[in-house]
Amino acid sequence: MKRLVITEYEGFNVPSDYNLDLTKTNIKDCTGCWSCWIKTPGRCIHKDLDTFYKAYLNADKVIIFSRISQGFVSGNLKSLFDRMLPLYLPFITYKTGESMHVPRYAKYPEVEVYYQGEFMNRNDQKIYEDYIHRTFYQFHNKCEVVKPIAEFTMEKI
Amino acid sequence: MKTLIINGSPKAKNGNTEIFIQEFMKGMKSPCEVRYAARESSQQIAEELKQFDTLIVAMPLYIHAMPGIVMKIFELMEPASDEGKSMGFIVQSGFIESGQSKYLEQYLSSLTERLNYTYLGTVIKGGSAGVYMIPENMNKKLFNQLQNLGGHFELESSFHPDVVKKLASPQMLSKRKARLFQLFYKVGLGDSIFWRMLLKKNQAWGKKFDRPFADKRG
C-alpha cells in the first residue's frame, strides 16, 4: 500500500512513500488563470507540485496532519487545495443533483485528516470538519476520518 | 464610517470579483478604498486594515472556501481591541447554486466573531464564472442588483436583505433542473459550450482530457 503524508506540524514520523512537509514548503498560490483547464489541460503554470501530483495519484492513502489556523485550514494548506484544480475537468456534472466537477483521473486516494489546534467552541470545530468532508466529497476521495490528533495511532492507519 | 474593500481574487483587477466591486461602488456617492490581496503581502494588508471601521472582503469561491491568499490575510488578523468594527463579505462562484458557498459562509460568520467584529453578512452570487466575458446587457440585472446593494450599504452600513436574497437564488437546484442540466452536459450544451469555446480558442480542445500525471491505473 502506497502512503503519502502531508505534514503541517512536527512530531509525527509516519513512514511514507512521499512526504510533503508544509512546515518547510510554501505552496505557490493558485493564480486563477485556468491554464490547467483551457490552455495546458491537467498542468499548472507552476511546476512546484509536479512530483507531488504524481505521487498523490499513485497513493492508496493520504494522511494530512493539518494545523488549525484561525479556526480553519491554514492559508498554505488552502493554497495546496486550490492547486488540486488541475486534477479535475472544467466540465460540470449534475448527476448527484448539484454541480460537481468531472474527475480528470480514474481514481483518487483515500484521505485521512488529523488536526492540531484550538477551536473557540464545538460549532467552530464542526465548521472545519464539515469543510474538509465537503472538499474531499467533491474531490471524489473517500474521506471518513477527520479527527483531532489525540485520536491518532499508528495502528489505525 | 471608513470602509475598506479587499479584493481577494488572485486575478486582482482582471477578474469577476473586480467587476462585482466596481458595480457595487457605482451605487455609492463616494467610493471606498480598495486593496488587492494578489498585489500586496498579506502582512501589509492585515496591518493596514486596522485603520478601517468596516471591511468588505470580496472573493471568488475556490475549492469550497476562500482563495489561499485570502486565508493568509485572515490568519494574520488579530481581534479588534475597540468595539464598533464590522465586517461583511461578497462571494461569487462558478457553481450556479449559492448553497455551494455555505461552508465558507459559516466560517466567515465564525471568523468575524472570533475577531471581535460585527458580522454584516455574506452576499453570495453563483453562476458567475462568465461575467467578465458575456455581453453587458446579459449582466444588466446583476449589475443593477450590485449597484442597489452598494447604494444601500453606503447609507445603512448593511447589505439590503431583499437584494441579498435575490442574488442568492437559486440556493439549490430543483431535481428537474439538475436532470435538465445533466442532459445538457451529456450532449455538450449548457456551460459545456463556454468551456469548449475557451479550449478551442487555446488550441487545447483535443487535449481536454489529458492525464499528465497518471500512473498505470490511469
Side-chain angles (χ1 to χ4, degrees):
Chain A
M1 195 188 78
K2 287 212 164 96
R3 186 190 290 143
L4 182 147
V5 174
I6 299 170
T7 326
E8 268 201 303
Y9 48 84
E10 312 275 352
F12 292 87
N13 285 320
V14 177
S16 65
D17 299 278
Y18 189 96
N19 183 14
L20 179 62
D21 186 352
L22 293 183
T23 66
K24 297 187 176 79
T25 316
N26 282 321
I27 303 298
K28 285 188 181 166
D29 301 307
C30 172
T31 66
C33 69
W34 283 351
S35 285
C36 63
W37 278 349
I38 61 168
K39 290 184 181 165
T40 53
R43 289 182 191 278
C44 182
I45 49 158
H46 297 314
K47 299 299 165 208
D48 58 326
L49 290 177
D50 282 6
T51 55
F52 167 81
Y53 290 140
K54 201 160 183 129
Y56 178 86
L57 291 164
N58 198 23
D60 299 292
K61 193 180 261 190
V62 170
I63 299 171
I64 304 177
F65 292 104
S66 156
R67 175 179 59 82
I68 301 303
S69 179
Q70 203 79 283
F72 206 60
V73 295
S74 71
N76 201 23
L77 185 60
K78 185 61 185 50
S79 282
L80 179 68
F81 288 177
D82 294 350
R83 295 277 308 282
M84 301 300 251
L85 207 68
L87 308 184
Y88 303 87
L89 300 178
F91 303 108
I92 291 171
T93 165
Y94 300 90
K95 66 178 175 196
T96 58
E98 61 172 345
S99 312
M100 277 180 100
H101 282 286
V102 180
R104 182 179 292 281
Y105 293 91
K107 192 175 176 287
Y108 298 91
E110 181 180 349
V111 173
E112 290 185 9
V113 178
Y114 295 94
Y115 55 85
Q116 186 178 66
E118 295 301 312
F119 292 98
M120 281 191 304
N121 50 47
R122 177 69 193 109
N123 184 49
D124 252 27
Q125 188 172 5
K126 188 174 179 311
I127 289 171
Y128 168 88
E129 289 182 358
D130 287 352
Y131 168 69
I132 298 284
H133 283 297
R134 175 67 180 173
T135 297
F136 288 107
Y137 168 74
Q138 283 262 354
F139 275 171
H140 303 269
N141 299 77
K142 183 179 169 192
C143 176
E144 287 168 353
V145 178
V146 181
K147 289 188 168 156
I149 187 61
E151 292 181 36
F152 172 80
T153 61
M154 274 308 284
E155 291 75 44
K156 273 190 193 162
I157 57 163
Chain B
M1 184 190 76
K2 218 171 138 196
T3 302
L4 174 69
I5 299 181
I6 297 173
N7 178 331
S9 167
K11 293 169 85 171
K13 289 193 175 179
N14 302 314
N16 295 317
T17 300
E18 177 69 2
I19 297 172
F20 272 60
I21 292 171
Q22 292 306 325
E23 293 300 326
F24 182 79
M25 290 203 304
K26 264 189 205 166
M28 296 177 156
K29 289 202 172 65
S30 41
C32 321
E33 189 172 338
V34 185
R35 303 298 282 263
Y36 296 85
R39 295 198 171 174
E40 288 174 77
S41 71
S42 41
Q43 286 82 358
Q44 193 162 356
I45 292 184
E47 185 55 40
E48 289 184 25
L49 59 79
K50 290 178 187 166
Q51 302 158 19
F52 294 82
D53 309 310
T54 307
L55 295 179
I56 297 176
V57 186
M59 68 191 107
L61 184 73
Y62 270 30
I63 315 295
H64 314 287
M66 75 299 281
I69 58 170
V70 173
M71 192 59 214
K72 288 175 185 178
I73 297 172
F74 290 163
E75 279 183 309
L76 296 172
M77 288 177 71
E78 289 160 13
S81 47
D82 36 322
E83 296 297 317
K85 296 217 172 195
S86 51
M87 186 150 59
F89 305 87
I90 300 174
V91 175
Q92 54 90 9
S93 73
F95 283 155
I96 196 163
E97 318 96 316
S98 65
Q100 296 270 3
S101 297
K102 77 170 180 202
Y103 298 84
L104 173 56
E105 183 183 15
Q106 285 168 356
Y107 173 68
L108 296 174
S109 157
S110 131
L111 170 76
T112 306
E113 186 189 339
R114 176 186 284 264
L115 293 173
N116 194 29
Y117 278 61
T118 302
Y119 182 57
L120 300 176
T122 299
V123 178
I124 304 172
K125 170 71 183 146
S128 298
V131 166
Y132 77 98
M133 59 186 303
I134 62 177
E136 191 158 343
N137 60 339
M138 285 174 77
N139 279 322
K140 206 171 169 189
K141 188 176 152 199
L142 169 65
F143 289 177
N144 280 337
Q145 287 168 328
L146 290 169
Q147 288 163 20
N148 286 342
L149 206 63
H152 179 89
F153 191 88
E154 187 174 39
L155 296 174
E156 309 287 337
S157 304
S158 66
F159 294 129
H160 196 297
D162 294 345
V163 185
V164 172
K165 206 174 157 190
K166 278 182 193 153
L167 286 166
S169 176
Q171 205 143 18
M172 290 163 65
L173 292 177
S174 65
K175 276 187 179 161
R176 204 177 137 268
K177 268 230 163 99
R179 274 202 298 269
L180 183 70
F181 287 172
Q182 182 63 7
L183 185 72
F184 283 166
Y185 162 65
K186 289 270 183 197
V187 296
L189 291 173
D191 39 45
S192 299
I193 295 174
F194 172 75
W195 297 113
R196 184 169 61 216
M197 191 181 78
L198 292 172
L199 279 154
K200 286 196 165 166
K201 196 175 135 194
N202 292 293
Q203 288 89 45
W205 178 245
K207 296 186 286 185
K208 61 185 179 295
F209 297 136
D210 274 11
R211 294 173 168 177
F213 301 109
D215 70 344
K216 54 197 177 297
R217 299 175 304 191

